[in-house]
Amino acid sequence: MTDKPFPTEAQIAAALAAAKARPALTEIYFVACGGSYALMLPNQYAVDRHAKTIAGHALNAAEFMARNPARLGPTSAVILCSHSGTTPETVDAARFARAKGALTIALTNLPGSPLDEAVEFPVYYTHAPKTFAPDHSAAVMARLTFGILAAREGNPLAQKLDTALTALPALIDSAIAAHADRIATFAEAMKREPVIYTMGAGANYATAYSYAICIFQEMQWIHSAGIHAGEYFHGPFEITDFDVPFIVLRGLGASRKMDDRGLDFVTKYSQRVTTLCAEELGLGVIDPEVVEHVEHMAFGTLLRVYCDKLADSRGHPLTVRRYMWKMDY
Amino acid sequence: MTDKPFPTEAQIAAALAAAKARPALTEIYFVACGGSYALMLPNQYAVDRHAKTIAGHALNAAEFMARNPARLGPTSAVILCSHSGTTPETVDAARFARAKGALTIALTNLPGSPLDEAVEFPVYYTHAPKTFAPDHSAAVMARLTFGILAAREGNPLAQKLDTALTALPALIDSAIAAHADRIATFAEAMKREPVIYTMGAGANYATAYSYAICIFQEMQWIHSAGIHAGEYFHGPFEITDFDVPFIVLRGLGASRKMDDRGLDFVTKYSQRVTTLCAEELGLGVIDPEVVEHVEHMAFGTLLRVYCDKLADSRGHPLTVRRYMWKMDY
């Protein structure tokens, strides 16, 4: 973060005005890598669910360039994200998309970074993983997506989303406080655990994926996979046993039926299930039309506190890496 | 399989004629669960890569219904697959899509099954996982997808695809014979292994995902995850160590750069990498414009032989389950 506030609000407004001004807009590509790619998945979800004239595609940045979609061009918006603004594939993808005539928008925490400079419309976000605010990355992404749907199609959910994002910080703070004992128990129980699975559906699958690859595999060297709750019964559930740990995200939106089916089964056959339930976190006060688009932000923030405590119990700080930042790759 | 040959060719022709006859077709939803969902991913890849007026979306069947895409309707084609034709979510998704006015096409191995009866255009495929033929499921899926692109947009690749599918069986048989020693070595080395990762990119990610969830997790109770080669460097690569086994798929198509980058790194830090290389399998004789759309079929068939031998060495036949088919869930 810089010393002065980021111009985030003005940047969002500029990006949305550009999206509105395009003669046509037929698809949004959501392009990033790793944790930033995971941020994109709930936005493809939102486009799939709500957009009448726009298709959404979330793609890893290298995959996006290799795939070189036939539809990518002047009627496309490409929204990218890299925290440091230096991820080479994401910077290359921004240049690639811009050269094709697409509207390019990028989120980054680092003004002046290569990604900031590669796109027409940069948007800076603030970053504090153990708290939440409407100018954090996941919130800014959702505001851009719903803002484009409002600008292009008159979708009415953007205002409800903003109201939800304003209510979330206090709800998340309360949830973190209320979970203190559970967090300590989890950290102690998992301190020598070699495998932890994460499960979710709908927009929450993004959080399951993100924690599997960025927290467990990357930051804790724990074997993991993000399991989609709808896919669980078509293969992964056979790995369930009394001693296999799962984190399950139970939402309040359209995917709740999948969540509950997965949860009913996994809690019957594993004794080591950690459940984060949106209803129990108090998210029932959020407008039912948008709660499914923000609950992953609450799950992600709360899980980060779980994982900080886990890192303590393992004696392995979240900052320690074997390879990342230490060598060329 | 029935006693008489399936009417597969006539069924494909009928489905394609219906796709051509639709007044408009703006998207194809590829909808299934588990291994059949994995079959859909290369088809979304093909649509993303080649279609100029059609968007592609691969979705788990329960997720598809919960997501209830705003664009689903008379201008949509929905292609579903269930081997037994009885997967409840897939059958429900077929009825759901048909009620919305979408063109519904379904692949199944079981004539008369609920899925067969739920859709307008059923297509039967034959099944023999240790061999390959152009009327196997992955091939039939690709023929439908490229056939729709030909019918709607005049895409010229369908003929090249058919030529490639005709050449594949002999190439795969040779590859299986040539790999006999490697298959035996793999099976012996992995016989007490608790974790095996699979990695691929582009259309081959589908095979990595399928083998992770259907073979390792489901049929062998081995912890696993399908890792996208482009995502590997953004989290998962930190789990790499000298004793962590990976299967890596190295293609000949657009994603080869990602494959090679992943392979270079993983072979440096793990001593237990099994590589399947499309070039070394002889797939270099296939037309470069379509090889990336069929190599996953070669990888999948060859890997099945690896896994059969692995099942022998573990004393755990691929047919043995803890939960599947044994209880309600």
Side-chain angles (χ1 to χ4, degrees):
Chain A
M1 289 175 62
T2 59
D3 292 339
K4 57 182 179 178
F6 280 158
T8 309
E9 299 307 318
Q11 290 173 322
I12 292 174
L16 294 180
K20 186 166 189 170
R22 282 261 153 171
L25 192 68
T26 56
E27 59 266 299
I28 306 175
Y29 293 95
F30 299 101
V31 175
C33 297
S36 295
Y37 166 70
L39 277 183
M40 299 299 179
L41 296 172
N43 294 278
Q44 176 180 330
Y45 178 87
V47 172
D48 284 354
R49 192 140 165 71
H50 299 298
K52 298 189 176 91
T53 62
I54 300 170
H57 308 275
L59 289 167
N60 165 273
E63 176 76 29
F64 170 72
M65 282 184 289
R67 195 168 291 205
N68 186 13
R71 298 181 75 195
L72 174 64
T75 66
S76 308
V78 180
I79 308 182
L80 309 104
C81 178
S82 164
H83 184 65
S84 67
T86 60
T87 310
E89 303 98 297
T90 308
V91 176
D92 288 348
R95 292 177 183 141
F96 176 81
R98 194 168 175 180
K100 295 258 189 184
L103 171 68
T104 51
I105 302 167
L107 275 65
T108 179
N109 187 243
L110 189 65
S113 61
L115 184 61
D116 180 14
E117 292 175 356
V119 298
E120 297 162 281
F121 295 95
V123 181
Y124 307 151
Y125 59 80
T126 56
H127 182 63
K130 286 180 272 188
T131 65
F132 181 79
D135 63 351
H136 285 188
S137 53
V140 170
M141 269 307 308
R143 291 165 69 195
L144 283 168
T145 299
F146 281 95
I148 292 175
L149 297 190
R152 300 294 314 185
E153 303 187 343
N155 184 294
L157 293 181
Q159 181 59 51
K160 291 184 177 184
L161 177 81
D162 284 344
T163 303
L165 293 175
T166 305
L168 267 185
L171 292 169
I172 293 173
D173 287 348
S174 295
I176 290 171
H179 275 242
D181 289 349
R182 273 179 273 187
I183 290 167
T185 302
F186 171 85
E188 183 65 17
M190 299 294 153
K191 73 182 179 184
R192 282 190 274 279
E193 187 57 48
V195 179
I196 304 173
Y197 286 109
T198 58
M199 184 153 69
N204 299 326
Y205 171 72
T207 307
Y209 178 74
S210 176
Y211 275 74
I213 74 158
C214 294
I215 302 288
F216 294 126
Q217 290 183 318
E218 176 184 325
M219 300 186 187
Q220 291 294 297
W221 308 346
I222 295 171
H223 295 297
S224 191
I227 297 172
H228 187 284
E231 288 283 275
Y232 176 60
F233 293 99
H234 301 280
F237 79 147
E238 283 284 328
I239 207 69
T240 310
D241 208 342
F242 73 97
D243 59 348
V244 178
F246 286 80
I247 293 175
V248 183
L249 307 178
R250 181 180 189 240
L252 277 162
S255 53
R256 183 164 177 162
K257 187 174 155 191
M258 281 182 278
D259 301 337
D260 280 346
R261 187 178 170 214
L263 200 54
D264 285 349
F265 190 92
V266 74
T267 50
K268 194 166 169 185
Y269 294 99
S270 166
Q271 295 165 14
R272 307 184 70 202
V273 180
T274 302
T275 306
L276 301 194
C277 168
E279 187 170 31
E280 191 252 330
L281 298 184
L283 300 186
V285 302
I286 291 176
D287 191 308
E289 282 196 88
V290 295
V291 67
E292 66 182 5
H293 300 296
V294 301
E295 60 196 7
H296 65 92
M297 305 176 199
F299 289 145
T301 311
L302 180 56
L303 267 184
R304 178 63 181 227
V305 185
Y306 271 80
C307 294
D308 261 356
K309 191 80 175 173
L310 175 66
D312 285 347
S313 74
R314 294 174 81 90
H316 180 148
L318 295 177
T319 51
V320 172
R321 303 287 189 281
R322 287 189 234 251
Y323 311 116
M324 192 174 277
W325 312 318
K326 292 191 170 175
M327 56 183 68
D328 289 330
Y329 44 82
Chain B
M1 290 177 61
T2 58
D3 292 338
K4 56 181 179 178
F6 280 159
T8 308
E9 301 306 317
Q11 290 173 322
I12 292 174
L16 294 179
K20 187 166 188 170
R22 281 260 153 173
L25 192 68
T26 56
E27 60 265 297
I28 306 175
Y29 293 95
F30 299 102
V31 175
C33 297
S36 295
Y37 166 71
L39 276 182
M40 298 300 178
L41 295 172
N43 294 280
Q44 176 180 330
Y45 177 86
V47 172
D48 285 354
R49 191 140 166 71
H50 299 297
K52 298 188 174 89
T53 61
I54 299 170
H57 308 273
L59 289 166
N60 164 275
E63 176 75 30
F64 170 73
M65 283 184 288
R67 195 168 291 205
N68 186 12
R71 299 181 74 195
L72 174 64
T75 67
S76 309
V78 180
I79 308 182
L80 310 104
C81 179
S82 164
H83 184 66
S84 67
T86 60
T87 310
E89 303 97 297
T90 307
V91 176
D92 288 348
R95 292 177 183 141
F96 176 81
R98 194 168 175 180
K100 295 257 188 183
L103 172 67
T104 51
I105 301 166
L107 275 65
T108 179
N109 187 243
L110 189 64
S113 61
L115 183 61
D116 180 15
E117 293 175 354
V119 298
E120 295 162 283
F121 295 95
V123 181
Y124 308 150
Y125 59 81
T126 55
H127 182 66
K130 286 181 271 187
T131 66
F132 180 80
D135 62 352
H136 284 187
S137 53
V140 170
M141 268 307 308
R143 291 165 68 194
L144 282 168
T145 299
F146 282 95
I148 292 175
L149 297 189
R152 300 294 314 185
E153 304 188 343
N155 184 293
L157 293 180
Q159 181 59 51
K160 291 184 176 183
L161 177 82
D162 284 345
T163 303
L165 293 175
T166 305
L168 267 185
L171 292 169
I172 293 173
D173 286 348
S174 296
I176 290 170
H179 275 242
D181 289 349
R182 273 178 274 186
I183 290 167
T185 303
F186 171 85
E188 183 65 18
M190 299 294 153
K191 72 182 180 186
R192 282 189 274 278
E193 188 55 50
V195 179
I196 304 173
Y197 285 109
T198 59
M199 183 152 70
N204 300 326
Y205 170 73
T207 307
Y209 177 75
S210 175
Y211 276 74
I213 73 159
C214 294
I215 301 288
F216 294 126
Q217 290 184 319
E218 176 184 325
M219 298 185 187
Q220 290 295 297
W221 309 345
I222 296 171
H223 295 297
S224 191
I227 297 173
H228 187 284
E231 287 284 276
Y232 176 59
F233 293 99
H234 301 280
F237 79 147
E238 283 284 329
I239 207 69
T240 310
D241 208 342
F242 72 97
D243 59 348
V244 178
F246 286 80
I247 293 175
V248 183
L249 307 177
R250 181 179 189 240
L252 276 163
S255 54
R256 183 164 176 160
K257 187 175 155 190
M258 281 182 278
D259 300 337
D260 280 346
R261 187 178 171 213
L263 200 54
D264 286 351
F265 191 93
V266 74
T267 50
K268 195 167 171 186
Y269 295 100
S270 166
Q271 296 164 13
R272 309 184 71 202
V273 180
T274 302
T275 306
L276 301 194
C277 169
E279 187 170 32
E280 191 252 329
L281 299 184
L283 301 186
V285 303
I286 290 176
D287 192 308
E289 284 196 87
V290 296
V291 67
E292 66 182 4
H293 299 296
V294 302
E295 61 196 5
H296 65 92
M297 304 175 199
F299 290 145
T301 311
L302 180 55
L303 267 184
R304 178 62 182 228
V305 185
Y306 272 80
C307 294
D308 260 357
K309 192 79 175 171
L310 176 66
D312 284 348
S313 73
R314 294 174 80 90
H316 179 149
L318 295 177
T319 50
V320 171
R321 302 288 188 281
R322 287 189 234 252
Y323 311 116
M324 193 175 277
W325 312 318
K326 293 191 170 176
M327 56 183 68
D328 289 331
Y329 44 82

